[in-house]
Amino acid sequence: MRAKGVLMMLGSALSNQVGAATGALAFPALGPAGVVAVRQWVAAILLVGITRPRFRTFTRREWEPVLALAAVYAIMNLTLYTAIDRIGLGLAVTLEFLGPLAVALAASRRRLDLYCALAAGAAVVVLMRPQPTTDYFGIALGLVAAACWACYILLNRTLGNRLPSAQGAAAASTVSAIVYLPIGVLMLLHHKPTLQYVAYAVVAGVLSSAVPFLVDLIALRRVPTGFYGLFMSVNPLLAVLVGWAVLHQTLGPIEWLAVATIITANTVAAAVPVSRPAAHPAGATRARDVLGAESAEQVG
């Protein structure tokens, strides 16, 4: 059972990164904003069809986190895709990955987690070191995407208590899609892309939203939630490999070391159990937070 679950999670993560890379292929014709708009439309259509949220029954108390989450989706996806366009898929996803890591480490009082935070911070400094080709704006966008991911985790705690199932995520995706409607239409009219480039953006929405969403629902029945959260560490590595295979993006030895450091910091923080009995609830909360973070990237 667990072996099948691992294969499903690997497929889900790979689908997510291939979707992002496929979306990047449409950047020359649509730009990051246009690709994000199409992806938001596809995600909203698919999620509404799957979860069927009852918008008319939402109360003001339920709409508040939904609208906040919609804003997070809109900003997170735009900054991530723009970062991918400027600094590459691998580095952009690695920087975004700092969001859930930061939330997990901030909730901990362990010395080991402090070391993990320092290691991840040092890796970011290495990525930002001055070079003739350093794109500081692209790096900053990746960090903004990370901050948005962290915000989603915090919003997810509230939203999960107020709306059942994934209705909140579907509603937020719908609002975000509506916000991107004029932006996407303007991009499509201005650039007049061929059907091929529009198809790239649609595929990005399917592979990065629908496939991971459905596969993970099944995978979580086969593996523990904590193990699922730990398995997230494979995403930056897959992003680097997919970026190389699909977009022909390469990293130097120093960048590889920084990416490996961030992956290791998250793996250690999630894998090493908390020794104090009183701290177990916090560890459980961290695992749920990481799970929520993964859902954010895929659903949004």
Tab-separated table of all heavy atoms in Angstrom, residues 133-181:
chain	number	residue	atom	x	y	z
A	133	THR	N	25.478	38.043	-13.410
A	133	THR	CA	24.205	37.540	-13.922
A	133	THR	C	23.127	37.417	-12.843
A	133	THR	O	22.045	36.894	-13.117
A	133	THR	CB	24.408	36.157	-14.560
A	133	THR	OG1	24.969	35.263	-13.580
A	133	THR	CG2	25.344	36.240	-15.753
A	134	THR	N	23.409	37.894	-11.647
A	134	THR	CA	22.434	37.764	-10.565
A	134	THR	C	21.192	38.611	-10.852
A	134	THR	O	21.286	39.805	-11.114
A	134	THR	CB	23.037	38.204	-9.219
A	134	THR	OG1	24.158	37.361	-8.919
A	134	THR	CG2	22.007	38.062	-8.097
A	135	ASP	N	20.042	37.988	-10.812
A	135	ASP	CA	18.767	38.684	-11.035
A	135	ASP	C	18.100	38.883	-9.674
A	135	ASP	O	17.349	38.030	-9.200
A	135	ASP	CB	17.875	37.852	-11.955
A	135	ASP	CG	16.633	38.619	-12.415
A	135	ASP	OD1	16.156	39.478	-11.656
A	135	ASP	OD2	16.133	38.333	-13.523
A	136	TYR	N	18.383	40.011	-9.046
A	136	TYR	CA	17.876	40.243	-7.698
A	136	TYR	C	16.355	40.393	-7.687
A	136	TYR	O	15.701	39.981	-6.724
A	136	TYR	CB	18.520	41.501	-7.104
A	136	TYR	CG	20.005	41.352	-6.856
A	136	TYR	CD1	20.942	41.950	-7.699
A	136	TYR	CD2	20.462	40.589	-5.788
A	136	TYR	CE1	22.294	41.794	-7.474
A	136	TYR	CE2	21.816	40.431	-5.562
A	136	TYR	CZ	22.733	41.035	-6.410
A	136	TYR	OH	24.070	40.871	-6.196
A	137	PHE	N	15.811	40.954	-8.747
A	137	PHE	CA	14.352	41.098	-8.803
A	137	PHE	C	13.688	39.728	-8.895
A	137	PHE	O	12.667	39.474	-8.249
A	137	PHE	CB	13.952	41.965	-9.996
A	137	PHE	CG	12.479	42.254	-10.057
A	137	PHE	CD1	11.846	42.933	-9.033
A	137	PHE	CD2	11.725	41.828	-11.142
A	137	PHE	CE1	10.475	43.195	-9.092
A	137	PHE	CE2	10.362	42.087	-11.211
A	137	PHE	CZ	9.741	42.769	-10.167
A	138	GLY	N	14.263	38.833	-9.696
A	138	GLY	CA	13.725	37.483	-9.801
A	138	GLY	C	13.796	36.753	-8.469
A	138	GLY	O	12.853	36.040	-8.081
A	139	ILE	N	14.912	36.906	-7.760
A	139	ILE	CA	15.060	36.288	-6.436
A	139	ILE	C	14.039	36.867	-5.471
A	139	ILE	O	13.411	36.137	-4.688
A	139	ILE	CB	16.490	36.490	-5.903
A	139	ILE	CG1	17.477	35.670	-6.749
A	139	ILE	CG2	16.585	36.082	-4.436
A	139	ILE	CD1	18.921	35.911	-6.409
A	140	ALA	N	13.854	38.187	-5.526
A	140	ALA	CA	12.875	38.826	-4.641
A	140	ALA	C	11.465	38.306	-4.911
A	140	ALA	O	10.689	38.078	-3.979
A	140	ALA	CB	12.920	40.345	-4.820
A	141	LEU	N	11.137	38.088	-6.182
A	141	LEU	CA	9.818	37.549	-6.530
A	141	LEU	C	9.646	36.134	-5.968
A	141	LEU	O	8.565	35.765	-5.499
A	141	LEU	CB	9.634	37.538	-8.045
A	141	LEU	CG	9.462	38.904	-8.707
A	141	LEU	CD1	9.488	38.759	-10.223
A	141	LEU	CD2	8.165	39.560	-8.263
A	142	GLY	N	10.716	35.329	-6.028
A	142	GLY	CA	10.657	33.993	-5.455
A	142	GLY	C	10.407	34.031	-3.960
A	142	GLY	O	9.660	33.215	-3.411
A	143	LEU	N	11.010	35.011	-3.277
A	143	LEU	CA	10.806	35.154	-1.833
A	143	LEU	C	9.398	35.664	-1.521
A	143	LEU	O	8.810	35.285	-0.502
A	143	LEU	CB	11.857	36.097	-1.254
A	143	LEU	CG	13.303	35.578	-1.319
A	143	LEU	CD1	14.267	36.634	-0.804
A	143	LEU	CD2	13.447	34.286	-0.502
A	144	VAL	N	8.849	36.511	-2.394
A	144	VAL	CA	7.460	36.953	-2.209
A	144	VAL	C	6.517	35.760	-2.350
A	144	VAL	O	5.558	35.608	-1.578
A	144	VAL	CB	7.095	38.050	-3.231
A	144	VAL	CG1	5.598	38.343	-3.181
A	144	VAL	CG2	7.884	39.325	-2.941
A	145	ALA	N	6.793	34.897	-3.331
A	145	ALA	CA	5.981	33.688	-3.490
A	145	ALA	C	6.077	32.814	-2.239
A	145	ALA	O	5.083	32.214	-1.806
A	145	ALA	CB	6.447	32.908	-4.719
A	146	ALA	N	7.259	32.743	-1.640
A	146	ALA	CA	7.437	31.981	-0.402
A	146	ALA	C	6.602	32.577	0.729
A	146	ALA	O	5.963	31.850	1.503
A	146	ALA	CB	8.916	31.953	-0.009
A	147	ALA	N	6.602	33.902	0.820
A	147	ALA	CA	5.802	34.565	1.854
A	147	ALA	C	4.313	34.299	1.641
A	147	ALA	O	3.561	34.085	2.601
A	147	ALA	CB	6.079	36.066	1.839
A	148	CYS	N	3.885	34.281	0.374
A	148	CYS	CA	2.483	33.979	0.078
A	148	CYS	C	2.140	32.552	0.463
A	148	CYS	O	1.056	32.274	0.995
A	148	CYS	CB	2.211	34.192	-1.414
A	148	CYS	SG	2.202	35.918	-1.929
A	149	TRP	N	3.064	31.628	0.215
A	149	TRP	CA	2.832	30.238	0.588
A	149	TRP	C	2.672	30.125	2.103
A	149	TRP	O	1.807	29.408	2.613
A	149	TRP	CB	3.996	29.380	0.095
A	149	TRP	CG	3.679	27.916	-0.030
A	149	TRP	CD1	2.572	27.268	0.420
A	149	TRP	CD2	4.493	26.915	-0.647
A	149	TRP	NE1	2.656	25.929	0.137
A	149	TRP	CE2	3.822	25.689	-0.521
A	149	TRP	CE3	5.727	26.954	-1.287
A	149	TRP	CZ2	4.352	24.495	-1.006
A	149	TRP	CZ3	6.252	25.765	-1.780
A	149	TRP	CH2	5.565	24.549	-1.641
A	150	ALA	N	3.521	30.854	2.832
A	150	ALA	CA	3.416	30.851	4.293
A	150	ALA	C	2.072	31.434	4.742
A	150	ALA	O	1.441	30.924	5.672
A	150	ALA	CB	4.574	31.637	4.892
A	151	CYS	N	1.638	32.494	4.086
A	151	CYS	CA	0.340	33.100	4.429
A	151	CYS	C	-0.799	32.122	4.191
A	151	CYS	O	-1.758	32.073	4.968
A	151	CYS	CB	0.117	34.372	3.602
A	151	CYS	SG	1.151	35.759	4.094
A	152	TYR	N	-0.691	31.337	3.103
A	152	TYR	CA	-1.743	30.360	2.853
A	152	TYR	C	-1.847	29.357	3.994
A	152	TYR	O	-2.938	28.972	4.410
A	152	TYR	CB	-1.515	29.598	1.549
A	152	TYR	CG	-2.485	28.447	1.430
A	152	TYR	CD1	-3.770	28.662	0.961
A	152	TYR	CD2	-2.141	27.177	1.873
A	152	TYR	CE1	-4.691	27.634	0.918
A	152	TYR	CE2	-3.046	26.138	1.834
A	152	TYR	CZ	-4.322	26.370	1.355
A	152	TYR	OH	-5.230	25.356	1.330
A	153	ILE	N	-0.705	28.910	4.487
A	153	ILE	CA	-0.709	27.929	5.568
A	153	ILE	C	-1.493	28.463	6.758
A	153	ILE	O	-2.306	27.755	7.361
A	153	ILE	CB	0.728	27.581	5.981
A	153	ILE	CG1	1.473	26.944	4.814
A	153	ILE	CG2	0.735	26.639	7.176
A	153	ILE	CD1	2.944	26.735	5.062
A	154	LEU	N	-1.248	29.724	7.092
A	154	LEU	CA	-1.941	30.327	8.230
A	154	LEU	C	-3.429	30.498	7.924
A	154	LEU	O	-4.281	30.262	8.786
A	154	LEU	CB	-1.298	31.669	8.566
A	154	LEU	CG	0.204	31.595	8.897
A	154	LEU	CD1	0.754	32.989	9.157
A	154	LEU	CD2	0.460	30.687	10.093
A	155	LEU	N	-3.747	30.897	6.688
A	155	LEU	CA	-5.154	31.037	6.311
A	155	LEU	C	-5.858	29.679	6.267
A	155	LEU	O	-7.047	29.572	6.575
A	155	LEU	CB	-5.262	31.701	4.933
A	155	LEU	CG	-5.041	33.214	4.875
A	155	LEU	CD1	-4.948	33.668	3.427
A	155	LEU	CD2	-6.164	33.935	5.597
A	156	ASN	N	-5.112	28.659	5.895
A	156	ASN	CA	-5.699	27.333	5.769
A	156	ASN	C	-6.238	26.820	7.104
A	156	ASN	O	-7.229	26.097	7.150
A	156	ASN	CB	-4.660	26.365	5.214
A	156	ASN	CG	-5.251	25.010	4.915
A	156	ASN	OD1	-6.213	24.896	4.175
A	156	ASN	ND2	-4.670	23.969	5.488
A	157	ARG	N	-5.579	27.192	8.189
A	157	ARG	CA	-6.052	26.776	9.510
A	157	ARG	C	-7.456	27.309	9.770
A	157	ARG	O	-8.328	26.603	10.287
A	157	ARG	CB	-5.101	27.288	10.590
A	157	ARG	CG	-3.715	26.685	10.556
A	157	ARG	CD	-2.832	27.346	11.579
A	157	ARG	NE	-1.497	26.753	11.597
A	157	ARG	CZ	-0.494	27.245	12.313
A	157	ARG	NH1	-0.672	28.318	13.057
A	157	ARG	NH2	0.689	26.651	12.292
A	158	THR	N	-7.659	28.569	9.418
A	158	THR	CA	-8.964	29.190	9.626
A	158	THR	C	-9.995	28.650	8.641
A	158	THR	O	-11.118	28.294	9.017
A	158	THR	CB	-8.856	30.716	9.465
A	158	THR	OG1	-7.900	31.216	10.403
A	158	THR	CG2	-10.204	31.380	9.697
A	159	LEU	N	-9.595	28.564	7.379
A	159	LEU	CA	-10.526	28.153	6.339
A	159	LEU	C	-10.990	26.718	6.541
A	159	LEU	O	-12.160	26.384	6.311
A	159	LEU	CB	-9.856	28.305	4.972
A	159	LEU	CG	-10.753	28.284	3.737
A	159	LEU	CD1	-11.765	29.406	3.803
A	159	LEU	CD2	-9.914	28.394	2.484
A	160	GLY	N	-10.066	25.863	6.975
A	160	GLY	CA	-10.417	24.469	7.175
A	160	GLY	C	-11.455	24.265	8.259
A	160	GLY	O	-12.218	23.291	8.227
A	161	ASN	N	-11.501	25.188	9.210
A	161	ASN	CA	-12.481	25.087	10.299
A	161	ASN	C	-13.836	25.678	9.926
A	161	ASN	O	-14.827	25.435	10.611
A	161	ASN	CB	-11.952	25.802	11.540
A	161	ASN	CG	-10.751	25.086	12.131
A	161	ASN	OD1	-10.637	23.871	12.043
A	161	ASN	ND2	-9.836	25.846	12.730
A	162	ARG	N	-13.875	26.470	8.869
A	162	ARG	CA	-15.110	27.169	8.525
A	162	ARG	C	-15.835	26.594	7.315
A	162	ARG	O	-17.039	26.794	7.165
A	162	ARG	CB	-14.808	28.656	8.276
A	162	ARG	CG	-14.238	29.361	9.499
A	162	ARG	CD	-14.051	30.840	9.248
A	162	ARG	NE	-13.394	31.506	10.384
A	162	ARG	CZ	-13.145	32.799	10.466
A	162	ARG	NH1	-13.493	33.600	9.455
A	162	ARG	NH2	-12.544	33.306	11.521
A	163	LEU	N	-15.121	25.910	6.439
A	163	LEU	CA	-15.744	25.341	5.251
A	163	LEU	C	-15.327	23.884	5.104
A	163	LEU	O	-14.159	23.542	5.324
A	163	LEU	CB	-15.334	26.119	3.996
A	163	LEU	CG	-16.000	27.483	3.798
A	163	LEU	CD1	-15.350	28.219	2.636
A	163	LEU	CD2	-17.493	27.331	3.552
A	164	PRO	N	-16.247	23.010	4.711
A	164	PRO	CA	-15.925	21.590	4.580
A	164	PRO	C	-15.126	21.279	3.328
A	164	PRO	O	-15.159	22.021	2.348
A	164	PRO	CB	-17.312	20.932	4.508
A	164	PRO	CG	-18.186	21.993	3.910
A	164	PRO	CD	-17.662	23.295	4.437
A	165	SER	N	-14.387	20.166	3.405
A	165	SER	CA	-13.674	19.624	2.264
A	165	SER	C	-12.779	20.698	1.628
A	165	SER	O	-12.099	21.432	2.318
A	165	SER	CB	-14.673	19.068	1.236
A	165	SER	OG	-14.015	18.458	0.162
A	166	ALA	N	-12.767	20.744	0.297
A	166	ALA	CA	-11.930	21.717	-0.409
A	166	ALA	C	-12.766	22.848	-0.983
A	166	ALA	O	-12.362	23.507	-1.933
A	166	ALA	CB	-11.156	21.023	-1.518
A	167	GLN	N	-13.937	23.085	-0.414
A	167	GLN	CA	-14.800	24.149	-0.926
A	167	GLN	C	-14.127	25.515	-0.830
A	167	GLN	O	-14.290	26.358	-1.712
A	167	GLN	CB	-16.128	24.169	-0.165
A	167	GLN	CG	-17.048	23.014	-0.501
A	167	GLN	CD	-18.457	23.241	0.002
A	167	GLN	OE1	-18.972	24.352	-0.060
A	167	GLN	NE2	-19.092	22.198	0.501
A	168	GLY	N	-13.387	25.731	0.238
A	168	GLY	CA	-12.711	27.015	0.403
A	168	GLY	C	-11.685	27.254	-0.686
A	168	GLY	O	-11.602	28.352	-1.246
A	169	ALA	N	-10.900	26.217	-0.992
A	169	ALA	CA	-9.898	26.342	-2.041
A	169	ALA	C	-10.557	26.579	-3.400
A	169	ALA	O	-10.087	27.399	-4.196
A	169	ALA	CB	-9.037	25.083	-2.084
A	170	ALA	N	-11.660	25.882	-3.666
A	170	ALA	CA	-12.367	26.060	-4.934
A	170	ALA	C	-12.948	27.465	-5.043
A	170	ALA	O	-12.878	28.108	-6.098
A	170	ALA	CB	-13.470	25.018	-5.069
A	171	ALA	N	-13.515	27.953	-3.941
A	171	ALA	CA	-14.089	29.301	-3.950
A	171	ALA	C	-12.999	30.347	-4.149
A	171	ALA	O	-13.172	31.301	-4.928
A	171	ALA	CB	-14.835	29.550	-2.643
A	172	ALA	N	-11.869	30.176	-3.468
A	172	ALA	CA	-10.767	31.131	-3.612
A	172	ALA	C	-10.207	31.100	-5.034
A	172	ALA	O	-9.879	32.154	-5.602
A	172	ALA	CB	-9.671	30.814	-2.598
A	173	SER	N	-10.102	29.916	-5.615
A	173	SER	CA	-9.627	29.812	-6.999
A	173	SER	C	-10.580	30.516	-7.956
A	173	SER	O	-10.151	31.154	-8.925
A	173	SER	CB	-9.485	28.337	-7.393
A	173	SER	OG	-8.447	27.727	-6.682
A	174	THR	N	-11.876	30.402	-7.685
A	174	THR	CA	-12.869	31.056	-8.535
A	174	THR	C	-12.741	32.568	-8.473
A	174	THR	O	-12.759	33.253	-9.508
A	174	THR	CB	-14.286	30.630	-8.112
A	174	THR	OG1	-14.399	29.210	-8.206
A	174	THR	CG2	-15.331	31.283	-9.001
A	175	VAL	N	-12.604	33.105	-7.262
A	175	VAL	CA	-12.451	34.554	-7.107
A	175	VAL	C	-11.177	35.027	-7.792
A	175	VAL	O	-11.161	36.043	-8.500
A	175	VAL	CB	-12.436	34.934	-5.618
A	175	VAL	CG1	-12.120	36.419	-5.450
A	175	VAL	CG2	-13.770	34.602	-4.962
A	176	SER	N	-10.089	34.279	-7.607
A	176	SER	CA	-8.826	34.633	-8.248
A	176	SER	C	-8.951	34.593	-9.765
A	176	SER	O	-8.404	35.456	-10.471
A	176	SER	CB	-7.726	33.681	-7.772
A	176	SER	OG	-6.488	33.997	-8.364
A	177	ALA	N	-9.677	33.606	-10.283
A	177	ALA	CA	-9.876	33.500	-11.728
A	177	ALA	C	-10.652	34.700	-12.259
A	177	ALA	O	-10.365	35.208	-13.351
A	177	ALA	CB	-10.606	32.198	-12.058
A	178	ILE	N	-11.632	35.160	-11.487
A	178	ILE	CA	-12.421	36.333	-11.900
A	178	ILE	C	-11.535	37.576	-11.925
A	178	ILE	O	-11.624	38.411	-12.839
A	178	ILE	CB	-13.618	36.530	-10.948
A	178	ILE	CG1	-14.610	35.365	-11.115
A	178	ILE	CG2	-14.313	37.859	-11.228
A	178	ILE	CD1	-15.733	35.382	-10.105
A	179	VAL	N	-10.671	37.707	-10.923
A	179	VAL	CA	-9.745	38.845	-10.878
A	179	VAL	C	-8.839	38.845	-12.105
A	179	VAL	O	-8.538	39.903	-12.684
A	179	VAL	CB	-8.892	38.793	-9.591
A	179	VAL	CG1	-7.770	39.828	-9.635
A	179	VAL	CG2	-9.772	39.031	-8.368
A	180	TYR	N	-8.407	37.656	-12.525
A	180	TYR	CA	-7.506	37.543	-13.672
A	180	TYR	C	-8.224	37.586	-15.013
A	180	TYR	O	-7.565	37.594	-16.061
A	180	TYR	CB	-6.703	36.242	-13.590
A	180	TYR	CG	-5.394	36.398	-12.840
A	180	TYR	CD1	-5.263	35.964	-11.527
A	180	TYR	CD2	-4.294	36.984	-13.452
A	180	TYR	CE1	-4.074	36.115	-10.838
A	180	TYR	CE2	-3.097	37.138	-12.780
A	180	TYR	CZ	-2.987	36.694	-11.466
A	180	TYR	OH	-1.810	36.849	-10.794
A	181	LEU	N	-9.542	37.646	-15.006
A	181	LEU	CA	-10.284	37.642	-16.260
A	181	LEU	C	-9.904	38.814	-17.167
A	181	LEU	O	-9.544	38.602	-18.344
A	181	LEU	CB	-11.788	37.633	-15.982
A	181	LEU	CG	-12.699	37.448	-17.188
A	181	LEU	CD1	-12.378	36.131	-17.894
A	181	LEU	CD2	-14.170	37.479	-16.763
